[in-house]
Structures are given as structure tokens and as C-alpha cells.
Amino acid sequence: MGVLSAVANAAVAILSLTISFSAPLLGAQAVLPSGLYPEPLQAFRRWYAAEFDDYLLGPNPPGFFRGVIWLEFVFLWPIAVATFYGILTRRPWVATTSLMAGVNTLTATSAILGDILGSGRATPKLLLSYVPFGVLGVIAILRGLCSCYQRTAIGSSPTSSARKKRV
């Protein structure tokens, strides 16, 4: 079980680290004024959109995608940073932040993949840039749920319960 937990932690750390950098540097360019970003970051976004046929990060992203980006930038980004910190420092609350990040990531990825597949613009490259986030989101959810269960089971054992004071 320790190896599986370590693999799950590594997967959640990769997800959190990716979101920690991509949300403010790449995704937020779709909703924030372009003057906030230096030209190399704008060029990277244009290159990525052209290379992976990612019409979502192109010059005119769909309205739902802007909403997803705002949610990612305002909610998921701080949670991802906290989750990465929590994994590195082995904090007990990382199960909760992992669960939150996983649910948010899986929900957003489901909407994005639904649009990509429904629009008929799905290419193997484009799918390979979004499907891993769905998989990592599921792993983050399972990591959060399993950690919560283990903590509850351990915390409710008779040896760890509070003892009555004798007067």
C-alpha cells in the first residue's frame, strides 16, 4: 500500500505543479489583458495553440472556456499550490486539498473534452494535451478519498481516543 500511496502522491504533485505554473502563465492569458504578459509568454501561448491545434487557447476562446479558466485561476490555482506544499511537507490536510483539486480538475476537463469531441475538432495531439489532466484528476480524487478514510479509521481506534481523567 505504501508504493501505491507514493505513486498517487507523485501523480498529485505533478498535477499540482503543472497547474501552479500553467494557470497563471498560460491559461489566464485567455481572460486577462495581454499587456500583463511579456512577449515570450504570449509567443509560447500562440505556439502551443498552433502546435496542438488548441482552438480553446487561440485568439477567441469559447465563453464556457473563459469561465473554466476563471475558476481555475481563482480557485484551483491556490489549491494546487497548497496541495503541492502539503505533499512536500507531509501535511495531514493535503487529503482535503487533493480531493478539491481532483474534483475541480476532473469537472473542468470533462467540460473541455466534451466540447473538443462535440465540436469535431479533436485531434490526437489535442486530446493528449487534455486527457492526462482527467486521469490525474481521478488519481487526486482517489488519493483524497483514501487518505480521508485511513485518517478516520486510525483516529477512531480505541488506543487513540481521549481517556477519561481520574479525579
Side-chain angles (χ1 to χ4, degrees):
M1 194 70 166
V3 171
L4 193 57
S5 179
V7 170
N9 278 343
V12 173
I14 290 169
L15 174 67
S16 298
L17 190 60
T18 303
I19 291 169
S20 295
F21 284 102
S22 69
L25 298 178
L26 186 63
Q29 287 187 47
V31 295
L32 295 176
S34 61
L36 294 176
Y37 291 94
E39 180 54 37
L41 279 177
Q42 293 178 31
F44 178 73
R45 177 181 171 224
R46 288 190 300 272
W47 169 83
Y48 169 81
E51 181 68 24
F52 289 88
D53 299 322
D54 194 344
Y55 66 95
L56 297 172
L57 280 174
N60 297 316
F64 91 93
F65 187 69
R66 289 184 190 139
V68 167
I69 292 299
W70 274 115
L71 183 63
E72 183 179 275
F73 187 60
V74 173
F75 176 75
L76 183 58
W77 179 52
I79 295 295
V81 171
T83 301
F84 187 70
Y85 170 78
I87 287 174
L88 290 180
T89 58
R90 299 178 189 254
R91 301 289 184 198
W93 46 259
V94 78
T96 304
T97 59
S98 177
L99 182 61
M100 293 165 57
V103 168
N104 187 307
T105 301
L106 184 60
T107 303
T109 304
S110 298
I112 290 168
L113 288 175
D115 187 70
I116 289 171
L117 295 171
S119 69
R121 298 168 94 175
T123 63
K125 269 186 164 180
L126 184 58
L127 290 173
L128 283 176
S129 67
Y130 285 104
V131 168
F133 284 100
V135 172
L136 291 172
V138 170
I139 293 170
I141 291 169
L142 293 175
R143 191 247 182 255
L145 289 173
C146 291
S147 296
C148 290
Y149 174 75
Q150 289 173 354
R151 187 174 61 226
T152 303
I154 292 170
S156 64
S157 67
T159 59
S160 65
S161 63
R163 299 184 191 268
K164 294 182 181 179
K165 289 185 179 180
R166 293 190 180 173
V167 183

